């Protein structure tokens, strides 16, 4: 892959630490209401550390205020570090991509037909350029003349070059890729700064990242909770005065910070950025975080058959004998007819025969004449040195061939060939000299492992629909073998749009893949449209995701990443809110235990003193953020299951765990604080 999963190197960590301090800028912090409140509290405790009685009489020493200040400062820095670390990984990926965007010379066609060399940065939309063997394609465009082998490893990481030519669905080229052979004439389709590579760099480094709707909704909820707890703290002051309990400002700030959901507030941005990074590490370019999030909420997947569910090449799946011929004999005959056939179909025949334990000694066909397939004969095969003729081909062609040699046609040949055709397969008859041995059943084979992947999607409540131009009988056969929930046979481009709209009218989110210009309307209509990088520019512009590897099945992985993003955010939100319970039991009794000794029964952790209880809760509140960074970056563990099961599982792990872990953590910290006489 061109976009690698960068390990947490020392340089990345040191840069994130430096960025953590830069992010202390209040204008930056205001974008995160929860952490902005913590930063304001940090500033107030800094003032108290310098002048403890600035807000009135203080019953705590300077050391207590200093301790609260440093704990709050580290709380803010840890939250900034999580965000900076996620951004740093994106910037590292962007730096890798920038290396491919060097100053390139472009040969631009002039009005008189001659070519002039200019810098690629001077190219404009509509310019016509020529790119020869070994030269870099200067910008995004479409081939209007020629055919060439293109090395796209700078973008996709795939070393094998791909063939691109004028016309059709494989005419678009990307700036930064290189022509390996021949030449092409390209029409430039983007202005400087708007190319695919420019957008890619901007997106992976987070410069264009916008908060998703769910993220904005959660941010609003956290802001409201923060405001509510601020009012709660304000009401504690008159209550404390009535009970003749003096509450210092530093203690009130500590209580506020522990009550508000600082854990998820500190990690929320990092979760979103890391989710985008995970998609990018799969060589998928998401045009927005909204697209990734939508992938996690998908209800229906619309999938093309050819190239997505099936390989797109006809492959041998069975050897069908005729008359009195055994299966072993027809398998050997098919193998003999295919040993020198280098087409995908021919290689699949040899592979299937070998899997069935049938082999043919190479010495027996050394020096044999290879008969290539032609449109006229519709046959291929071998003629051995001893004159033996081995042929395979269209059923009627083989029948005519055998009849011409005074051979007979088996009575059941047509019946077996028709059965294969009705099932959507292609029958190839096999003959040696004047005898027909049987039929090779060729079919568009379903990709291995897809049935299990579709079963996982079904377990998550996602419906899969296959679109194909095949007849209903063939479509039904492939659909059953692949394990999809439904299919649309004899589908036209407008049928895909109709299918998407029908699902959306029922309130469902729909995803689909495509690569052609005729797929563009459907990709634009779908909630998640994944376009192939090898496809047309129209398809890539209509989609909200682009797969750089041009692997249509990548949509399955994208949905899993989207699910993981939503699960991670939900899990850490659950944990953050749950662990506040332990903080209540630590701090509330500590505040009023002197005035109300009855509250001692709430001190179930047996904390040493009111001050140690407050400091311990505050320290735990700070250190839990960096401890959860790995989960925010990698994502919560994800398993395919229904929403109800997933909710139950996460409530048990992150809900119950969020209650238990702080009780243990605060108690251990309190024992250390008491032992060191810090409070």
């Amino acid at each position: 892959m061109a976009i690698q999963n960068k390990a947490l190197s020392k340089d990345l960590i040191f840069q994130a630490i430096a960025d953590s301090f830069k992010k202390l800028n209040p204008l930056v912090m205001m974008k995160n209401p929860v952490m902005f409140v913590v930063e304001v509290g940090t500033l107030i405790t800094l003032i108290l550390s310098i002048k403890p009685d600035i807000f009135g009489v203080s019953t705590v020493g300077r050391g207590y205020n200093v301790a609260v200040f440093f704990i709050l400062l580290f709380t803010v820095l840890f939250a900034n570090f999580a965000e900076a670390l996620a951004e740093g990984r994106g910037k590292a990926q962007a730096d890798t991509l920038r290396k491919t965007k060097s100053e390139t010379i472009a040969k631009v066609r002039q009005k008189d037909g001659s070519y002039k060399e200019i810098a690629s940065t001077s190219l404009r939309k509509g310019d016509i350029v020529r790119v020869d063997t070994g030269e870099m394609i200067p910008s995004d465009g479409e081939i209007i003349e020629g055919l060439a082998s293109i090395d796209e490893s700078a973008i996709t990481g795939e070393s094998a070059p791909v063939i691109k030519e004028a016309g059709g669905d494989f005419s678009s080229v990307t700036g930064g890729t290189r022509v390996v052979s021949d030449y092409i004439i390209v029409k430039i389709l983007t202005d400087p700064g708007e190319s695919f590579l420019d957008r890619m760099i901007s997106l992976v480094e987070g410069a264009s990242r916008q908060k998703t709707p769910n993220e904005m909704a959660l941010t609003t909820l956290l802001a409201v909770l923060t405001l509510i707890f601020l009012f709660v703290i304000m009401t504690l002051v008159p209550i404390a005065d009535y009970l003749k309990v003096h509450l210092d400002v530093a203690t009130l700030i500590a209580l506020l910070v522990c009550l508000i959901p600082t854990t998820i507030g500190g990690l929320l941005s990092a979760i979103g950025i890391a989710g985008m990074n995970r998609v990018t590490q799969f060589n998928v370019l998401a045009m927005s975080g909204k697209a990734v999030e939508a992938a996690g909420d998908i209800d229906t997947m619309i999938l093309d058959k050819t190239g997505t569910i099936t390989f797109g090449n006809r492959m041998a799946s069975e050897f069908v004998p005729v008359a009195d011929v055994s299966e072993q004999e027809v398998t050997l005959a098919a193998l003999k007819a295919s040993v020198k056939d280098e087409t995908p179909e021919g290689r699949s025949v040899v592979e299937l025969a070998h899997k069935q334990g049938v082999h043919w000694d190479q010495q027996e066909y050394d020096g044999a004449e290879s008969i290539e397939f032609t449109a006229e004969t519709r046959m291929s095969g071998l003629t051995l040195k001893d004159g033996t003729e081995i042929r395979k081909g269209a059923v009627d062609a083989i029948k005519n061939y055998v009849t011409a040699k005074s051979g007979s046609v088996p009575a059941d040949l047509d019946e077996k060939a028709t059965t294969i055709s009705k099932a959507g397969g292609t029958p190839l008859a096999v003959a040696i000299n004047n005898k027909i041995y049987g039929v090779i059943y060729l079919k568009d084979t379903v990709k291995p492992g897809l049935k299990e992947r579709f079963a996982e999607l079904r377990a998550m409540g996602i419906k899969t629909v296959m679109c194909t131009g095949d007849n209903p009988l063939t479509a039904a056969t492939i659909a059953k073998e692949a394990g999809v929930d439904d299919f649309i046979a004899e589908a036209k481009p407008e049928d895909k749009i109709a299918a998407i709209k029908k699902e959306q009218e029922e309130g469902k989110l729909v995803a689909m893949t495509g690569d052609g210009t005729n797929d563009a309307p459907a990709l634009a209509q779908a909630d998640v449209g994944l376009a192939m990088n090898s496809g047309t520019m129209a398809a890539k512009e209509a989609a909200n995701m682009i797969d750089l590897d041009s692997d249509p099945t990548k949509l399955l992985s994208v949905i899993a990443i989207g699910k993981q993003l939503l699960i991670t955010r939900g899990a850490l939100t659950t944990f953050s809110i749950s662990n506040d319970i332990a903080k209540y039991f630590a701090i509330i009794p500590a505040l009023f235990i002197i005035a109300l000794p009855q509250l001692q029964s709430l001190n179930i952790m047996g904390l040493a003193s009111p001050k140690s209880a407050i400091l311990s809760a505050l320290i735990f509140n700070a250190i839990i953020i960096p401890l959860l960074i790995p989960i925010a970056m990698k994502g919560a563990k994800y398993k395919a299951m229904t929403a109800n099961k997933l909710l139950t599982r996460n409530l048990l792990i992150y809900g119950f765990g969020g209650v238990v872990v702080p009780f243990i953590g605060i108690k251990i910290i309190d024992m250390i604080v008491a032992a060191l006489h810090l409070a």
Side-chain angles (χ1 to χ4, degrees):
M1 285 187 184
I3 304 173
Q4 299 292 335
N5 184 359
K6 297 286 182 183
L8 297 182
S9 64
K10 288 182 179 179
D11 291 342
L12 198 60
I13 292 173
F14 286 142
Q15 184 59 49
I17 291 172
D19 289 343
S20 300
F21 285 91
K22 293 177 183 177
K23 288 177 177 289
L24 290 175
N25 182 342
L27 295 177
V28 175
M29 295 297 297
M30 286 178 69
K31 296 177 183 178
N32 187 335
V34 176
M35 299 317 299
F36 178 68
V37 169
V38 179
E39 185 177 46
V40 171
T42 306
L43 180 61
I44 294 173
T45 53
L46 173 61
I47 296 171
L48 289 171
S49 300
I50 299 169
K51 191 172 178 59
D53 57 352
I54 190 170
F55 297 114
V57 179
S58 175
T59 59
V60 295
R62 189 187 304 271
Y64 177 81
N65 290 329
V66 170
V68 172
F69 162 71
F70 277 109
I71 296 170
L72 293 181
L73 176 63
F74 278 106
T75 302
V76 178
L77 288 175
F78 285 149
N80 288 350
F81 178 75
E83 183 177 16
L85 197 60
E87 289 176 347
R89 290 175 66 177
K91 288 174 183 176
Q93 292 166 350
D95 289 340
T96 302
L97 293 170
R98 277 197 184 91
K99 292 177 183 177
T100 69
K101 193 175 180 295
S102 57
E103 186 69 24
T104 305
I105 299 299
K107 293 184 290 190
V108 183
R109 189 161 73 189
Q110 305 299 300
K111 291 182 179 180
D112 61 1
S114 63
Y115 287 90
K116 178 183 177 182
E117 292 189 351
I118 65 171
S120 61
T121 51
S122 301
L123 288 173
R124 293 292 183 271
K125 189 183 295 185
D127 285 344
I128 306 296
V129 301
R130 177 184 173 114
V131 190
D132 291 298
T133 302
E135 294 179 348
M136 194 82 75
I137 295 172
S139 187
D140 297 356
E142 186 173 8
I143 300 173
I144 58 175
E145 182 184 324
L147 176 149
S149 181
I150 311 290
D151 175 10
E152 296 187 327
S153 58
I155 303 297
T156 68
E158 178 57 54
S159 57
V162 295
I163 302 297
K164 295 290 184 82
E165 61 182 324
D169 291 343
F170 298 95
S171 59
S172 71
V173 289
T174 305
T177 58
R178 188 181 298 276
V179 173
V180 178
S181 67
D182 302 294
Y183 80 95
I184 49 176
I185 305 296
V186 178
K187 181 179 181 181
I188 301 302
L189 298 179
T190 59
D191 287 323
E194 299 175 357
S195 71
F196 181 72
L197 201 57
D198 288 317
R199 284 186 295 155
M200 199 167 169
I201 291 168
S202 179
L203 286 163
V204 299
E205 69 181 357
S208 297
R209 193 188 91 88
Q210 295 180 339
K211 288 186 177 181
T212 64
N214 282 351
E215 194 175 348
M216 288 190 288
L218 185 54
T219 301
T220 303
L221 174 63
L222 297 180
V224 170
L225 287 175
T226 301
L227 190 61
I228 290 172
F229 283 120
L230 184 60
F231 283 122
V232 169
I233 296 303
M234 291 172 64
T235 59
L236 280 180
V237 176
I239 294 173
D241 288 341
Y242 176 77
L243 295 173
K244 294 182 173 52
V245 175
H246 180 74
L247 295 179
D248 285 278
V249 175
T251 299
L252 289 172
I253 292 172
L255 177 59
L256 174 62
V257 170
C258 286
L259 290 179
I260 63 178
T262 49
T263 306
I264 188 60
L267 295 172
L268 186 60
S269 183
I271 293 169
I273 296 170
M276 290 282 286
N277 286 345
R278 279 197 295 276
V279 173
T280 310
Q281 287 154 19
F282 272 80
N283 261 14
V284 173
L285 176 62
M287 297 307 175
S288 68
K290 183 179 179 180
V292 181
E293 194 170 85
D297 281 329
I298 287 300
D299 300 296
T300 305
M301 282 178 61
I302 308 289
L303 299 161
D304 275 332
K305 185 202 78 172
T306 306
T308 304
I309 292 175
T310 64
F311 283 103
N313 293 323
R314 298 177 306 167
M315 300 178 73
S317 65
E318 187 181 354
F319 301 115
V320 182
V322 294
D324 57 349
V325 178
S326 68
E327 187 174 340
Q328 180 86 359
E329 289 175 317
V330 70
T331 302
L332 181 58
L335 173 62
K336 289 179 177 181
S338 306
V339 286
K340 289 197 173 183
D341 184 353
E342 292 302 318
T343 64
E345 293 89 346
R347 289 196 295 268
S348 73
V349 171
V350 174
E351 184 179 347
L352 180 60
H354 287 169
K355 282 183 180 178
Q356 295 183 1
V358 177
H359 300 272
W360 193 32
D361 191 344
Q362 183 174 340
Q363 293 180 351
E364 295 187 43
Y365 59 88
D366 278 345
E369 180 188 358
S370 179
I371 308 300
E372 299 294 331
F373 178 88
T374 66
E376 292 181 7
T377 63
R378 295 190 295 152
M379 290 188 300
S380 64
L382 292 177
T383 299
L384 304 183
K385 287 187 293 184
D386 63 4
T388 302
E389 296 182 356
I390 308 166
R391 299 288 186 271
K392 69 175 182 184
V395 174
D396 59 338
I398 294 295
K399 284 165 64 177
N400 293 335
Y401 173 79
V402 169
T403 303
K405 288 182 170 291
S406 303
S408 60
V409 176
D412 57 348
L413 176 63
D414 287 337
E415 178 190 344
K416 293 191 174 181
T418 301
T419 301
I420 292 172
S421 297
K422 285 184 176 180
T426 302
L428 292 182
V430 184
I432 299 179
N433 293 325
N434 64 349
K435 180 180 179 180
I436 296 177
Y437 280 70
V439 181
I440 302 171
Y441 182 177
L442 293 181
K443 69 175 183 178
D444 197 357
T445 309
V446 172
K447 293 181 178 180
L450 275 188
K451 192 165 188 175
E452 291 74 18
R453 296 291 295 275
F454 290 144
E456 288 181 16
L457 293 172
R458 194 175 299 110
M460 292 185 286
I462 297 174
K463 176 184 175 184
T464 51
V465 180
M466 179 187 77
C467 280
T468 176
D470 291 334
N471 62 66
L473 181 60
T474 303
T477 303
I478 297 291
K480 183 177 181 182
E481 186 177 346
V484 295
D485 298 310
D486 200 359
F487 66 89
I488 302 172
E490 299 175 342
K492 299 182 288 295
E494 50 268 30
D495 294 328
K496 295 179 184 178
I497 299 177
I500 293 170
K501 287 183 176 179
K502 180 176 178 294
E503 295 290 328
Q504 290 174 333
E505 286 169 1
E506 296 174 5
K508 298 176 181 178
L509 294 184
V510 183
M512 79 156 287
T513 61
D515 57 7
T517 301
N518 63 347
D519 290 325
L523 287 169
Q525 179 67 39
D527 299 285
V528 175
L530 180 67
M532 303 298 102
N533 190 42
S534 61
T536 62
M537 194 63 71
K540 288 190 278 189
E541 288 178 352
N544 51 22
M545 287 189 182
I546 299 173
D547 176 24
L548 304 180
D549 296 328
S550 298
D551 176 8
T553 61
K554 191 75 70 68
L555 184 57
L556 303 176
S557 299
V558 170
I559 287 177
I561 294 169
K563 289 280 186 188
Q564 189 180 42
L565 170 64
L566 295 176
I567 289 167
T568 302
R569 188 184 296 147
L572 293 184
T573 300
T574 302
F575 184 88
S576 177
I577 294 174
S578 298
N579 70 29
D580 286 344
I581 296 174
K583 299 171 197 171
Y584 303 156
F585 278 96
I587 294 181
I588 299 299
L591 292 177
F592 299 104
I593 201 166
I594 296 175
L596 298 172
Q598 297 88 341
L599 289 178
Q600 181 63 40
S601 59
L602 294 179
N603 186 18
I604 58 178
M605 286 181 275
L607 303 180
S609 68
K611 286 184 180 179
S612 74
I614 293 168
L615 289 179
S616 298
L618 207 56
I619 292 170
F620 176 84
N621 192 63
I623 64 174
I624 197 62
I625 294 176
L627 291 177
L628 291 174
I629 287 178
I631 296 178
M633 299 287 281
K634 293 181 181 179
K637 192 173 181 181
Y638 163 74
K639 285 185 178 180
M641 59 181 70
T642 61
N644 288 338
K645 287 184 179 179
L646 197 59
L647 178 62
T648 303
R649 175 179 175 273
N650 284 343
L651 283 176
L652 286 173
I653 296 175
Y654 295 97
F656 182 71
V659 174
V660 173
V661 170
F663 274 97
I664 299 171
I666 291 173
K667 177 60 179 178
I668 292 172
I669 295 170
D670 180 74
M671 292 168 64
I672 296 171
V673 169
L676 296 175
H677 303 289
L678 298 177

